Amino acid sequence: MPSSTNKKPQSFEHSFDRKRHTLGLFIAPLFALIIFFLPIPGLTLSAHKLLAIMTLVSLWWITEPVPIAVTSLLGPTLAVIFGVISVKDGFAPFANPIIFLFMGGFILAKAMMVHGLDKRFAFGLLSMKWVGSSPTRIFLAIGIASMLCSGWVSNTATAAMMMPIALGLLTAIKDMFAANGRNIHLHEYKYATGLMLMTAYAASIGGVLTPIGTPPNLIMLGFLDQMANIKISFFEWMTWGSIAMIFYFIITYLLLKKLFPADVSSINGAKELIDKKVQELGSWTQGQKNTAFAFGLAVCLWIFPGILNIFLGSDSPVLKLYDQLLPESIVAMLAALLLFLLPVNWEKRTFTLKWKDAVDGIEWGTLILFGGGLSLGHMMYTTGLSKWIGDGIANSLGEPNLLMIVTVFSLLALIMSELTSHTAATNMVGPLGITAALSAGFDPTPVAVAIALSASLGFMLPVSTPPNAIVYASGYVPITKMISTGFIIDLIGIFLITIPIVIYFVTWILS
């Protein structure tokens, strides 16, 4: 790949980040001090201190002058120093069961990558007869593979895995044209741009499928549990997450297919390339079988309570006992721990996963960010800050209805996720949405689901989400194309998919 294709993306991203970091480093503490010394009626002293701390933390989450995980630790640390909360209560949320649910998910995902189970799935899908050498069907298959993988593996890992596959297919197109006497520049080739965007967007879309698919989902489930004592099961999330995922994907596929069409009916060499990759995988290894067993066990145990609920009812003693003994976090840890017990070579005492690989697979920064967000949410509730903010938002909206609250916070989550990490955006917007819904007298679940879904729609900028940054760095995606395409999908996703699904389907399920 020519080096010239990478200079522009890297320089743009570096310049944007440098200005954002520098501005936030100095502006955030200044704003926090202003809030601290500004008289604010209706707030207790503890809530006033917490508001100043949250101003600093929120602005640093957006501008990232220091790593997001560091900022997440700063919040409870300052709260203890300024007497807002005790050290025990301030750091207790870092051991919330949701942290261990995601930790187990990380370990399972790492085992899938170590043993190539993710690639086996992706190449298996691409090698199906219906795909063949058609660029349109290859385009669809790449998107489906990225989407389904990212429902269980992080969108970053999915995009990093799928991009070399897409690049290999683009090389096959270039070679095919060269053999026919036509030279093309892939960074100017429409289909190449569309295939890269499909890889990134589908990896983000798939995350809405399951609670462990992307951090915003679990963050909002944690806030609901902590701030409203509402528990949403794995199965319940998948009922609306699957519908949202399918509609998001259909819209994205149709739009990208229209904007970035292929100018050939067949890609010579594409089928051979995929078949070769499948052959290189060989037969199933013991490590792949063990990982598939542990993963399948986790999925079955996660969705089984939903089945019990359907047939026995929510008040069933059997269901209550199951939830008590096998909550989702325990299932995740049980499946993850099995990977250290299932042998791949008993004589050598070699097991499915090594601790070093597991440690490398756990996104510790994300877990710390979870803990920091849950800690601030807990403090907002205990100090009364959440009620003060919720009442203020509800009053400013006049006589709000559920549609209005869902729309406002969906848009806010989307805008914030375009400017910063969707995880940080959810940590900031989530507590506000829940408190606003509670203050207005509504069930906060639809608002929480809308915020989580909207935060996954950051499609406009490379900084919005890691998959965007990964494909942008390839040099095949002009920034103007990413912005314009992402803007259209964002608008369609919010107003034609997210809000209708949340208002009509989620509320119907809850009723």
Side-chain angles (χ1 to χ4, degrees):
M1 186 189 305
S3 60
S4 61
T5 61
N6 284 327
K7 288 181 180 178
K8 187 176 179 181
Q10 290 178 353
S11 61
F12 169 84
E13 193 170 2
H14 177 74
S15 175
F16 180 86
D17 284 342
R18 181 180 175 86
K19 293 175 182 177
R20 182 166 60 103
H21 298 338
T22 304
L23 182 65
L25 182 63
F26 297 102
I27 293 295
L30 177 61
F31 276 33
L33 286 173
I34 292 174
I35 293 294
F36 184 77
F37 289 108
L38 185 69
I40 302 179
L43 277 183
T44 63
L45 179 59
S46 294
H48 196 156
K49 292 176 183 177
L50 181 60
L51 181 61
I53 293 170
M54 289 193 63
T55 300
L56 172 63
V57 171
S58 298
L59 290 176
W60 273 11
W61 270 339
I62 296 172
T63 57
E64 296 182 72
V66 298
I68 286 179
V70 173
T71 302
S72 302
L73 290 170
L74 182 64
T77 300
L78 290 177
V80 173
I81 291 174
F82 285 95
V84 176
I85 199 169
S86 69
V87 63
K88 180 180 178 180
D89 292 337
F91 286 94
F94 285 85
N96 188 290
I98 284 183
I99 301 289
F100 294 92
L101 171 56
F102 223 145
M103 183 184 294
F106 283 146
I107 294 175
L108 284 170
K110 182 63 177 181
M112 293 174 69
M113 290 185 283
V114 166
H115 293 286
L117 200 60
D118 51 351
K119 290 183 179 179
R120 183 173 290 279
F121 167 77
F123 285 126
L125 181 60
L126 288 168
S127 65
M128 289 182 175
K129 289 183 179 180
W130 67 269
V131 179
S133 298
S134 166
T136 302
R137 290 196 292 269
I138 286 174
F139 191 78
L140 177 61
I142 285 283
I144 292 175
S146 298
M147 177 181 67
L148 294 180
C149 278
S150 67
W152 308 95
V153 180
S154 79
N155 58 8
T156 307
T158 299
M161 175 191 71
M162 295 301 299
M163 192 176 79
I165 300 174
L167 290 176
L169 293 168
L170 293 176
T171 300
I173 294 178
K174 185 175 182 179
D175 292 344
M176 180 186 71
F177 281 130
N180 294 321
R182 175 186 170 189
N183 292 320
I184 63 169
H185 299 287
L186 288 177
H187 62 279
E188 299 174 353
Y189 189 52
K190 276 189 174 183
Y191 182 77
T193 300
L195 194 62
M196 289 291 104
L197 288 176
M198 172 57 83
T199 302
Y201 292 170
S204 294
I205 288 170
V208 306
L209 174 62
T210 68
I212 64 170
T214 187
N217 301 350
L218 276 184
I219 290 173
M220 292 313 303
L221 293 184
F223 283 141
L224 278 174
D225 184 14
Q226 192 175 59
M227 302 177 68
N229 197 28
I230 295 175
K231 292 177 173 58
I232 304 296
S233 71
F234 203 97
F235 182 83
E236 284 177 312
W237 181 275
M238 288 189 68
T239 55
W240 51 68
S242 58
I243 293 177
M245 180 189 73
I246 291 170
F247 279 106
Y248 286 149
F249 183 77
I250 291 173
I251 293 299
T252 301
Y253 169 72
L254 294 176
L255 181 64
L256 292 179
K257 179 186 173 185
K258 176 71 174 178
L259 295 178
F260 308 101
D263 56 357
V264 292
S265 59
S266 179
I267 303 174
N268 296 335
K271 189 176 186 306
E272 290 76 9
L273 172 67
I274 297 300
D275 289 342
K276 180 182 177 182
K277 293 292 186 182
V278 172
Q279 291 175 2
E280 289 175 356
L281 292 175
S283 58
W284 278 67
T285 65
Q286 189 59 48
Q288 289 173 343
K289 294 176 182 178
N290 292 347
T291 303
F293 171 75
F295 174 73
L297 177 65
V299 174
C300 290
L301 293 177
W302 276 329
I303 66 175
F304 189 60
I307 298 173
L308 289 178
N309 189 18
I310 292 174
F311 290 100
L312 301 180
S314 58
D315 295 328
S316 167
V318 176
L319 178 58
K320 291 181 179 179
L321 180 63
Y322 186 99
D323 288 337
Q324 179 182 345
L325 299 179
L326 287 172
E328 278 125 1
S329 56
I330 292 300
V331 169
M333 295 308 298
L334 175 64
L337 294 174
L338 272 177
L339 298 171
F340 300 97
L341 299 173
L342 296 174
V344 293
N345 189 322
W346 177 248
E347 291 184 1
K348 295 182 179 180
R349 298 300 190 270
T350 304
F351 298 91
T352 306
L353 193 63
K354 298 178 181 178
W355 177 245
K356 181 179 182 301
D357 291 330
V359 170
D360 291 340
I362 297 173
E363 296 181 19
W364 298 104
T366 300
L367 297 183
I368 291 174
L369 177 56
F370 275 167
L374 292 173
S375 178
L376 289 175
H378 171 69
M379 287 185 280
M380 287 178 65
Y381 179 78
T382 56
T383 61
L385 179 60
S386 62
K387 186 178 186 307
W388 181 82
I389 293 176
D391 290 344
I393 295 174
N395 292 334
S396 67
L397 295 176
E399 295 184 6
N401 53 48
L402 184 59
L403 175 61
M404 180 187 300
I405 295 178
V406 167
T407 302
V408 167
F409 286 99
S410 293
L411 289 172
L412 184 58
L414 173 62
I415 293 170
M416 294 301 297
S417 68
E418 291 289 4
L419 299 175
T420 187
S421 153
H422 63 352
T423 309
T426 309
N427 262 340
M428 288 181 283
V429 179
L432 303 182
I434 289 175
T435 53
L438 290 173
S439 295
F442 297 115
D443 184 337
T445 306
V447 182
V449 174
I451 291 171
L453 295 179
S454 302
S456 294
L457 288 177
F459 292 158
M460 289 177 60
L461 295 170
V463 297
S464 303
T465 184
N468 288 12
I470 288 171
V471 301
Y472 183 67
S474 70
Y476 297 156
V477 182
I479 185 64
T480 53
K481 296 295 183 183
M482 180 176 282
I483 292 174
S484 60
T485 307
F487 178 74
I488 296 172
I489 297 176
D490 282 351
L491 283 183
I492 294 175
I494 285 289
F495 290 107
L496 296 186
I497 300 175
T498 303
I499 294 174
I501 283 178
V502 167
I503 293 297
Y504 296 107
F505 188 75
V506 176
T507 51
W508 176 73
I509 288 289
L510 293 173
S511 63

